[in-house]
Amino acid sequence: QVQLVESGGGSVQSGGSLRLSCAASEDTYANYDMAWFRQRPGKDREGVAGIYAGAGGTNYADSVKGRATISHDSVKNTLDLQMNSLKPEDAAMYYCAARKKVSPRFVWWAGSTYDYWGQGTQVTVSS
């Protein structure tokens, strides 16, 4: 059972930056796909960015492409999300998720395919 703990959320002004981090309770680098999701008030959960196991490729939602970078640190065993040029519409609860890799692999943005979730970290963006 992988446990995930997010950190790094907070309040930032529009145009600012935040770095979210997700600490995993075990080594996830080689065998787990991981992703960041977010849920805005009144909206469905949506995928923000995903990374396949073993640095097998990164993917981003169109809404954050060019402003976000996802990375999986194999030494620290953390999943990070650097977000720049934040907009008010980026305000949400952000969740880290993980799943065992499979072949053929699932699409990164399908939240139902992830087995492990963190408790979330809140991001607030003021205009």
Side-chain angles (χ1 to χ4, degrees):
Q1 182 93 0
V2 177
Q3 295 182 329
L4 304 171
V5 180
E6 301 97 334
S7 61
S11 183
V12 64
Q13 287 192 326
S14 182
S17 299
L18 277 177
R19 188 175 185 86
L20 307 182
S21 189
C22 171
S25 60
E26 61 182 74
D27 185 358
T28 55
Y29 184 81
N31 294 311
Y32 288 80
D33 301 333
M34 299 191 74
W36 285 96
F37 288 80
R38 69 185 180 189
Q39 188 161 23
R40 293 176 278 184
K43 302 287 187 180
D44 292 335
R45 182 181 61 196
E46 61 179 346
V48 178
I51 187 165
Y52 286 104
T58 59
N59 294 276
Y60 298 91
D62 287 344
S63 58
V64 303
K65 206 168 287 184
R67 301 188 296 119
T69 303
I70 188 171
S71 58
H72 198 169
D73 191 316
S74 60
V75 175
K76 296 180 181 178
N77 203 23
T78 58
L79 179 75
D80 296 323
L81 181 69
Q82 176 70 40
M83 293 197 67
N84 302 320
S85 303
L86 283 160
K87 305 175 182 180
E89 52 264 41
D90 293 318
M93 184 70 83
Y94 282 73
Y95 298 92
C96 171
R99 66 188 183 199
K100 273 281 189 72
K101 69 177 181 180
V102 296
S103 181
R105 57 191 190 184
F106 294 125
V107 292
W108 71 271
W109 43 261
S112 61
T113 64
Y114 290 84
D115 301 306
Y116 307 104
W117 293 82
Q119 82 289 349
T121 186
Q122 183 71 46
V123 172
T124 304
V125 184
S126 56
S127 56

